[in-house]
Amino acid sequence: MFDYRNNLKRILNNTAGDDKSLRNGLAAIKMILGMAADDTAAPEPMREPQVDTKQVKLLLTGLADLIATPGDPAAKNMALSAIHQLTFTPQVGSKYGENLGQLEKAIQASNTTKDVINKKIFEQAMQPKEKPKRDYRKGKRYTVIRLLSGCDLINDNNQRVYTLKESQIHSLNLKSGDIVEAVPEDSNSNYEATILRVVGFKKLPTTEVDKISTFKYAVVQGRTGHLSVSRNIKGQKLRIRGKSVLLPVDSSQYQESNVRLVDGSIVDLAWYDGDVRLKKNPADAIQLRWVYQVDQPKSKPAVKKKKVKAVQDETAITKLALDLHYQRVGIAIGDNQNEAMLESIVNRYHGIPIPIDAFQGKKKMMENQIKDLDIVILVTAFAAHDSTWNIREFASKYNVKFAVSSSKGYQAFERALYRAAKGLPAYEGNQTIKYETEE
């Protein structure tokens, strides 16, 4: 290091007290000190290469999305783009180029699995549908008077204001005395009014209301032109005033829409208890209230020898030895969702699929949904829900067959349906259960 002490001593000894001498001495001292500072200056350290943190975040985000959803195109593009940008960064490409290349190949090889597809289907089904916007402030209150098909809405003066069709109220399970809020229907000329909600109930005098009896889920049997009803899907006989009745039916009796009744159709019947025609000719007094939309089994055409291979391809999917005989099967999976895959399984085995709102948490509503079912299947594909215990409770209370599908796949639900119908354990677990198939 430069020794500046002797120089400072000589400058101080030669510096007088006048202004000019002091200024010259100060300038000399600064120059000497500057020489000493330059001698002690350390060399600048080498800078590390700057890594683009934005690209690193994009890479990590893309990898996280790919782990959660293998084969997702957006996640793959995000991760690959980040890798290419990082490769061009000075010293990163030369130092980590081989690792980045291996990672790029792994990302490109990522493919969508069946589990991912089933998960997307389930998530889409779980998304609540957007409910129509309704201004409840415009609704007026009316009392329901149930008819054989549809209902009348009367005001406080006992005057009929509107008549609603069965298609508008069937899902609401209305009965005489229910108090509803309704508004006039302007957008659909086929309907007089639309019910917004049910707000209460009042008991009506028996003199004001005709008592109606119903026979639900009746099975139509016979050939075209000679159809009749004698039992429902539970095997209970149709009885009128205590006597078993074989009721001929005609599709022209059903006025809601052009529905073609065939062998195996499921219908609801209704009649006034006081109708005098019940004694002589019940067919004139009993009305078809509702026809359920059930896919009928299609008759298989004769197969020629040349088409044996095509037939084998069509029947490649194994079918369990199960026939539900048009039993009502509740699918507990969500609120008004379109569980097309699960409903198709029920239809495949000649059952009637009924969606159940398993996640709303209203106990009374759930009880009303379950009490008329024959079978209920709870789907717990992604999480356990509090509704499980309520469903099991009501299934036990009303002797409804019950099983749980703990997976989101086709086969898991099909096996749960088989266990419930055959009276096997509700949960498959680790136990060995034999599922018989059709030959």
Side-chain angles (χ1 to χ4, degrees), residues 113-129:
T113 63
K114 291 183 179 180
D115 289 340
V116 173
I117 296 173
N118 289 333
K119 179 181 178 182
K120 287 184 177 179
I121 294 174
F122 185 87
E123 289 176 343
Q124 291 173 359
M126 290 299 298
Q127 291 178 356
K129 291 184 178 179

Side-chain angles (χ1 to χ4, degrees), residues 136-147:
Y136 291 98
R137 296 171 297 179
K138 297 181 180 179
K140 294 184 179 180
R141 295 197 172 190
Y142 304 95
T143 302
V144 173
I145 301 295
R146 199 67 162 93
L147 305 175

Side-chain angles (χ1 to χ4, degrees), residues 29-74:
I29 291 173
K30 288 181 177 181
M31 186 175 62
I32 295 299
L33 293 178
M35 293 171 62
D38 292 339
D39 190 35
T40 58
E44 292 185 2
M46 293 182 63
R47 295 181 179 179
E48 292 290 334
Q50 295 294 323
V51 179
D52 191 345
T53 56
K54 180 181 178 181
Q55 299 302 327
V56 175
K57 289 180 180 179
L58 290 175
L59 174 60
L60 295 177
T61 302
L63 292 176
D65 291 344
L66 279 176
I67 293 173
T69 309
D72 182 33

Side-chain angles (χ1 to χ4, degrees), residues 49-52 55 80-97 100 104:
Q50 295 294 323
V51 179
D52 191 345
Q55 299 302 327
L80 291 174
S81 176
I83 288 177
H84 294 160
Q85 293 294 331
L86 291 172
T87 304
F88 292 120
T89 302
Q91 297 187 7
V92 173
S94 59
K95 192 172 183 180
Y96 303 104
L100 292 174
E104 181 179 359

